[in-house]
Amino acid sequence: MGRLAVVTGGTRGIGAAISKALKAAGYQVAANYAGNDEAAQKFKAETGIPVYKWDVGDYDACAAGIKQIEADLGPVEVLVNNAGITRDGMFHKMTKDQWSAVIRTNLDSLFNMTHQVWEGMRNRSFGRVIVISSVNGQKGQMGQVNYSAAKAGDLGFIKALAQEGAIKNITVNAICPGYIGTEMVQAIDENVLKTRILPQIPVGRLGTPEEIGRCVVFLAADDAGFITGSTISANGGQNLV
């Protein structure tokens, strides 16, 4: 069997595409999910990828989840921190709950998850940690102060942790997707999509989840060891960094 990869939020949208891409590339994959049992079981039936349910915002739940995966499948060598939520609203109307929920799931989860696998990666002198950030963490977005702050925090996380992991052959990188044609984005009013979003994207279309999956497979590879602390901006030219 190939190296074991864990993908958080790995049964729907971009996460599902990442899980499938890693499996197709020869990895053993375990997909975490938070709450949609029906979608998770459908994903498992269609892909054969085992699924594990826990809240990535809860440190103890992450510890228990990784312990179970390692008991079932072996040591985690690739971690994809993909899980995320939005609770959008203009800042003057944003509640503390909206702020805290997004920071907890989108940023605290990086510590909660990576902390569980880091020592094992150090001991084995190999690891790949990949964080799915966002174009809005690079450029900011009105109505998403909480989300943009969390996703910008992701980038600080990978730059600092990459320096700690380098001596142990552990790479830590981020991918910043732009507008990707997931269920969430496709639910946007068609007129808004055509008149306000697509004109911002030089390639003239939404990205696909599969394109993000291919980025992850590239960064997860054994021969990607010279790339660390880096960000792949997969946004169709929307934000040039």
Side-chain angles (χ1 to χ4, degrees), residues 135-136 139 141 177-179 197 200-203 234-240:
V135 65
N136 291 342
K139 73 177 186 60
Q141 177 61 45
Y179 283 95
I197 294 176
Q200 300 178 36
I201 305 172
V203 301
N235 60 40
Q238 180 187 357
N239 186 57
L240 303 177

Side-chain angles (χ1 to χ4, degrees), residues 1-166:
M1 296 294 289
R3 296 190 184 278
L4 174 59
V6 171
V7 183
T8 67
T11 63
R12 299 172 63 197
I14 290 174
I18 292 169
S19 296
K20 292 174 186 177
L22 286 166
K23 182 179 180 182
Y27 292 83
Q28 207 179 359
V29 180
N32 151 270
Y33 74 103
N36 192 324
D37 294 318
E38 183 180 353
Q41 292 307 314
K42 181 181 179 184
F43 171 85
K44 180 181 178 181
E46 290 175 349
T47 64
I49 294 171
V51 298
Y52 295 81
K53 183 180 180 179
W54 75 82
D55 174 8
V56 294
D58 181 329
Y59 183 88
D60 291 337
C62 292
I66 290 296
K67 183 177 181 180
Q68 186 62 59
I69 287 173
E70 293 197 323
D72 293 346
L73 304 173
V76 176
E77 296 177 291
V78 178
L79 172 63
V80 184
N81 287 305
N82 166 74
I85 63 171
T86 56
R87 296 290 185 270
D88 295 350
M90 297 298 283
F91 185 71
H92 65 285
K93 294 183 178 179
M94 185 172 289
T95 67
K96 181 64 166 62
D97 286 346
Q98 286 175 303
W99 171 268
S100 296
V102 169
I103 297 299
R104 181 177 183 273
T105 299
N106 295 17
L107 184 56
D108 289 350
S109 62
L110 270 59
F111 178 86
N112 295 344
M113 286 297 302
T114 309
H115 209 240
Q116 313 308 327
V117 302
W118 190 253
E119 197 58 35
M121 290 179 174
R122 283 175 49 82
N123 291 339
R124 293 185 297 273
S125 293
F126 181 87
R128 299 287 184 262
V129 177
I130 301 162
V131 177
I132 308 302
S133 180
S134 169
V135 65
N136 291 342
Q138 295 174 304
K139 73 177 186 60
Q141 177 61 45
M142 183 173 69
Q144 286 195 326
V145 170
N146 49 3
Y147 184 82
S148 295
K151 292 302 187 179
D154 292 351
L155 302 183
F157 177 93
I158 66 107
K159 290 176 182 178
L161 193 58
Q163 296 176 58
E164 297 187 24

Side-chain angles (χ1 to χ4, degrees), residues 184-197:
M184 181 175 69
V185 172
Q186 289 171 341
I188 295 172
D189 180 86
E190 186 177 357
N191 186 57
V192 172
L193 197 62
K194 288 182 177 179
T195 62
R196 296 179 58 185
I197 294 176

